[in-house]
Amino acid sequence: MKKRRSDVVTLGDVAKLAGVSIATASKALNARAQVAPATRERVLRSAAELSFQPNALAKGLISGRTRTIGLLTDELAGRFSIPILLGAENALANEQMSVLLCDARGDAIRRQHYIRTLLARQVDGFIILGDSNDLRPSLTRDIPVPVVYVYGESTDPGDFSVLADDEGGARLAAEHLVSLRRKHIAHITGPESYRAARDRVTGLTDVLAEYGLTLAGGAPLHGEWSQRWGRQAARMLLATSPEVDAIFCGNDQIATGVADTLTDLGRHIPDDVAVVGYDNWEIFAADCRPPLTTVDLNLERLGTTAATHLFAALDGQARSGVIRQPCRLVVRESTAPLPAR
């Protein structure tokens, strides 16, 4: 039997049952921060009791929004993109917003095609995901709705970008090793052309300088982001600097290769040499022998932060500039204090 129009539950009905204004009921149902938790709970209970279903079409017509966001990435299959996208999507879902995901695969023509396609779908805003936490050309001039960049800094200072704090993450690793009384700390990392690699070197060497230490081996060893490079570099390092008692690695793949070589050469981890990785990539960090102490980029939180700032921009509170989200140190068995001598 068809439901009569008079039987349709409205937002006003929910507000009346909850004892709040229609505006407050709307904010509560859309998880806005301006509503007290107790009030939000009362509104949600009232909505559930009345089986209230918001009319998305009507909301769009009233607000002039489609409640749809475009997520544009260059490396959907990549190790970093999926956690960031999950964090962003979860935050968007909490705001009852839909997501249209497009993977440009690093191709400029494909990227422009997806921008046009998403704008034709009348998305309310864009989250643009980089592929290396590095500088990337601004796309904002082609996009007439709010844009937030994540894991890639726009070249336009008027844009807003959310980055992982690679320098700060390296400081966490260095301070941890110094606190364990390690004095001869070396660094094996990826290509110097990567901003992340350079920032991690800066964070490490700054901490060493603060404690009157110098980098073991004299300079960072730059190479590939691979286990093979980790194995090769560790042999080179120990041949020239056998006094090394700690190695901070630019990622977990390198650290796993370093651990393999240390074991092959009869060096015990962490008694002889402590090892720290970067990224907290579980397939390497948790399965390494021994499991790796490493720096976690908090990638899902990075995506959530980007979505939160996009919400602010949609509400007329757009920001410009860059924020660097802190990393965290995950301590496992590959580091421990030096034994008493």
Side-chain angles (χ1 to χ4, degrees), residues 18 34 92 145 185 195 201 214 244 246 264 279 324 341:
Q34 302 97 317
L92 292 166
V145 293
I185 302 170
R195 183 186 191 182
V201 169
T214 57
V244 165
D264 290 345
D279 294 339
R324 288 177 170 81
R341 299 185 187 279

Side-chain angles (χ1 to χ4, degrees), residues 263-325:
T263 300
D264 290 345
L265 295 177
R267 298 292 187 97
H268 296 287
I269 306 170
D271 294 340
D272 297 329
V273 183
V275 179
V276 177
Y278 206 102
D279 294 339
N280 196 27
W281 192 354
E282 289 286 332
I283 194 172
F284 288 102
D287 289 345
C288 182
R289 295 185 179 180
L292 280 172
T293 292
T294 184
V295 177
D296 193 320
L297 296 170
N298 286 328
L299 293 173
E300 283 202 32
R301 183 180 165 199
L302 206 66
T304 300
T305 301
T308 299
H309 284 282
L310 184 60
F311 299 151
L314 292 172
D315 287 339
Q317 301 171 29
R319 291 180 55 184
S320 61
V322 178
I323 62 169
R324 288 177 170 81
Q325 179 177 278

Side-chain angles (χ1 to χ4, degrees), residues 39-176:
T39 303
R40 177 178 291 110
E41 180 62 27
R42 193 164 71 250
V43 171
L44 293 174
R45 283 201 309 269
S46 298
E49 182 178 337
L50 295 172
S51 299
F52 173 68
Q53 294 293 330
N55 186 321
L57 177 60
K59 288 168 68 177
L61 290 172
I62 293 170
S63 66
R65 295 181 182 176
T66 61
R67 301 193 67 76
T68 303
I69 297 299
L71 284 174
L72 182 60
T73 178
D74 274 328
E75 63 143 22
L76 182 57
R79 139 95 181 100
F80 300 100
S81 60
I82 296 300
I84 294 173
L85 292 172
L86 287 173
E89 192 277 334
N90 187 57
L92 292 166
N94 287 341
E95 289 281 334
Q96 299 181 0
M97 302 185 83
S98 301
V99 178
L100 294 176
L101 173 61
C102 296
D103 180 12
R105 303 177 193 175
D107 183 86
I109 295 176
R110 191 182 187 94
R111 190 179 302 113
Q112 288 300 319
H113 163 71
Y114 280 134
I115 289 174
R116 292 192 298 269
T117 299
L118 291 168
L119 290 174
R121 295 290 188 95
Q122 297 183 313
V123 296
D124 295 328
F126 278 73
I127 294 176
I128 296 177
L129 173 59
D131 60 357
S132 63
N133 209 40
D134 211 332
L135 285 168
R136 59 163 302 143
S138 174
L139 300 172
T140 308
R141 65 182 181 279
D142 300 320
I143 303 175
V145 293
V147 181
V148 170
Y149 297 81
V150 61
Y151 204 67
E153 180 182 347
S154 169
T155 52
D156 185 344
D159 292 335
F160 184 71
S161 307
V162 182
L163 306 177
D165 185 4
D166 279 311
E167 187 174 328
R171 290 188 64 91
L172 290 176
E175 288 166 353
H176 175 62

